[in-house]
Amino acid sequence: MAGLAIRGGTLLDGTGDAPLPDATVVVDGERIVARGRSADVAVPEGATVIEARGRTILPGLIDMHVHTSLCGEESFPLFLALGVTTIRDCAAEPAQLLALRDRVASGDVVGPRILSMGPILDGSPPTFSPPPPAGLRELGSEREARAAAAAVIESGADGLKLYARLPPPLAAAVLEVARGRVPTTGHLSRTTAREAVRAGISCLEHVHASLYQDVVRPEDRHAADSGNGVMPNYWNWLAGGWARADLDAPHVREFLELLVERDVSLCATLIMMTGGMVTEEAAEEPGLSYLPAPMRERHLPANARRAWEERRAAGARAGLPLQHTDVVNTQTRAQELDFVRRAHEAGVRLVIGTDVGGASMQVPGFSMHREMAIHHEAGIPAADVIGAATRAAAEGLWRQSDLGTIEPGKLADIVVVDGDPLTDLDAARRVVAVVANGVPHDPEVLLDQARAHATPAA
């Protein structure tokens, strides 16, 4: 046995145990075989050694909301370079994505492990017309819903995603087929989160949209057959209701209790709220310089970039950052962060996802750390934020036997960072080594690869 050893760092193994100083982790093949105090763990002769003294050893991060087809393979080095070793794809045609998933698993493609939720399962008419390239099934009856759900599962997908225009009877039909077989998630509107939870959904996406009908005041809710895909300026309209929401109302407390009772994960994607990444903090994201050129042009073409810069300049002249140019949006941000804090305190399983590829200006890998920072800003302790990005995510994926913690027998997804993320969460960004499925990678080499994709060809 030669293998790999990470030696001398402080181990945050993800189990909830106290940090272990001067620890060593030993990997054989794709699995962790030992971990513990360096004095108690022998480094195998001939092993590759990653020195981690003065650094912190973490489980690999899991981004729970990615659109791989809209990021492209050129984005994969960025995920790994920032410590994201697993991504959950939330809308893709199985024929394409599952082949890519298997190429990554075999080592033919260097990138994060991919788990697929299949194409989005939507109602009729669907939210998007024409359908997006990422994959969609338009369902018009309960029979079609059951058949589509079964077909996606049998294709080898790792889960199912319900979408905004799917009505409650069809959502229930999909969830009945999935029950006990694969995890499910939803970007909801026509079916409320409460209805989906009672029907058996295991995760909810986008606090801003999917939870709107269950949190805001009754007088601010839209009609059941309105909302996403029907209302003009829908995403901005939601901000007003969130700004006026009474988070102390009994229906909010009862909803949180229901999420805990039914063991439902919440992937809040706070990074998207009130206009995606078009905020001052987004403008200062250092990862923007690595954004792959195809993503940059798709999300922010030249004319949109000019308009965005003009808006930013106008705010600067007034002494206001972008997210503060609208009082409603400022209050919305505060309310959504307060809701997520309350969810955490109530015992809801929070997981971290970014909607990278689907939302404007998200940067693969980098946006994961911004989403974690926003959760921390909400008042969630750094240790719990890291847990949401590792152990809790693995639980939400039903992969806790393999992922989410650094323990013997688990897959070797390990990140070494410079500093202590428990006292400075930004230290989690400072990745100095990453191991994905037992294979070590140099983040600087990965960033160099990403940089080559960030500049359009001459």
Side-chain angles (χ1 to χ4, degrees):
M1 169 179 164
L4 170 72
I6 303 170
R7 182 171 62 190
T10 296
L11 176 64
L12 297 181
D13 63 15
T15 66
D17 288 347
L20 181 65
D22 191 14
T24 291
V25 179
V26 178
V27 174
D28 182 21
E30 63 181 20
R31 299 278 173 177
I32 298 164
V33 295
R35 62 96 201 264
R37 295 188 182 278
S38 295
D40 302 326
V41 176
V43 175
E45 185 176 352
T48 299
V49 176
I50 297 173
E51 294 291 353
R53 196 166 304 279
R55 293 164 171 166
T56 304
I57 306 168
L58 306 170
L61 304 180
I62 302 172
D63 190 333
M64 291 285 280
H65 198 126
V66 171
H67 293 283
T68 308
S69 62
L70 300 175
C71 294
E73 287 183 45
E74 63 268 22
S75 69
F76 284 5
L78 283 177
F79 284 112
L80 289 183
L82 272 294
V84 178
T85 55
T86 298
I87 58 176
R88 182 181 67 163
D89 186 286
C90 283
E93 287 294 345
Q96 287 78 40
L97 184 66
L98 299 187
L100 179 59
R101 179 193 69 182
D102 294 345
R103 290 170 63 209
V104 171
S106 70
D108 290 343
V109 173
V110 174
R113 178 182 296 100
I114 300 172
L115 299 176
S116 166
M117 301 302 283
I120 56 178
L121 303 179
D122 207 359
S124 183
T127 307
F128 300 104
S129 184
L136 179 148
R137 299 290 184 272
E138 180 179 346
L139 309 176
S141 69
E142 292 181 36
R143 185 173 72 174
E144 288 182 358
R146 291 191 185 94
V152 174
I153 294 171
E154 289 162 10
S155 74
D158 303 291
L160 298 176
K161 181 182 180 182
L162 287 63
Y163 212 64
R165 299 293 298 150
L166 197 66
L170 274 63
V174 168
L175 294 169
E176 180 184 356
V177 172
R179 187 171 295 120
R181 298 174 69 183
V182 294
T184 51
T185 196
H187 172 166
L188 305 174
S189 177
R190 196 171 178 183
T191 297
T192 68
R194 192 182 304 262
E195 289 169 330
V197 168
R198 287 176 172 157
I201 202 166
S202 59
C203 186
L204 298 168
E205 306 296 314
H206 311 314
V207 67
H208 190 63
S210 293
L211 276 60
Y212 180 85
Q213 298 282 79
D214 300 278
V215 174
V216 303
R217 302 178 308 171
E219 58 266 36
D220 282 324
R221 298 171 190 172
H222 56 69
D225 198 29
S226 185
N228 202 1
V230 177
M231 295 178 64
N233 207 28
Y234 167 73
W235 283 87
N236 288 333
W237 180 86
L238 296 176
W242 268 103
R244 294 183 292 272
D246 176 8
L247 299 183
D248 291 316
H251 72 265
V252 176
R253 182 177 64 254
E254 291 164 4
F255 176 58
L256 290 174
E257 290 172 353
L258 178 65
L259 296 183
V260 175
E261 175 192 333
R262 299 298 178 93
D263 195 28
V264 175
S265 302
L266 175 58
C267 185
T269 64
L270 291 168
I271 199 170
M272 285 184 63
M273 64 190 143
T274 62
M277 280 189 70
V278 186
T279 61
E280 186 71 13
E281 65 195 52
E284 301 304 324
E285 170 56 66
L288 284 172
S289 63
Y290 293 98
L291 190 68
M295 288 186 69
R296 182 185 302 276
E297 186 56 32
R298 181 167 56 248
H299 287 304
L300 205 61
N303 59 341
R305 283 199 295 272
R306 284 193 296 272
W308 182 67
E309 287 296 340
E310 288 169 4
R311 180 181 168 205
R312 183 183 179 200
R317 287 193 295 273
L320 296 170
L322 282 178
Q323 67 262 33
H324 294 158
T325 58
D326 187 316
V327 172
V328 170
N329 284 350
T330 302
Q331 180 64 17
T332 300
R333 179 189 177 96
Q335 290 274 82
E336 292 184 9
L337 266 63
D338 190 16
F339 176 84
V340 170
R341 177 190 60 78
R342 290 167 184 250
H344 173 259
E345 292 177 351
V348 175
R349 180 191 296 110
L350 300 182
V351 298
I352 305 294
T354 64
D355 204 8
V356 63
S360 297
M361 290 179 61
Q362 304 284 31
V363 185
F366 287 90
S367 293
M368 183 70 176
H369 293 277
R370 289 197 55 249
E371 181 71 9
M372 292 168 66
I374 297 171
H375 275 70
H376 191 39
E377 179 188 340
I380 299 171
D384 292 345
V385 173
I386 294 168
T390 54
R391 181 188 66 254
E395 293 169 352
L397 292 167
W398 299 3
R399 297 297 179 99
Q400 61 267 41
S401 62
D402 278 331
L403 303 174
T405 60
I406 298 176
E407 299 178 90
K410 296 281 186 85
L411 290 170
D413 286 1
I414 305 168
V415 181
V416 181
V417 302
D418 188 14
D420 178 6
L422 294 182
T423 58
D424 174 17
L425 187 57
D426 276 348
R429 279 181 174 253
R430 300 194 290 271
V431 178
V432 296
V434 60
V435 178
N437 210 40
V439 178
H441 300 274
D442 183 339
E444 289 302 319
V445 172
L446 294 167
L447 289 174
D448 285 344
Q449 294 171 4
R451 190 177 292 111
H453 292 299
T455 304

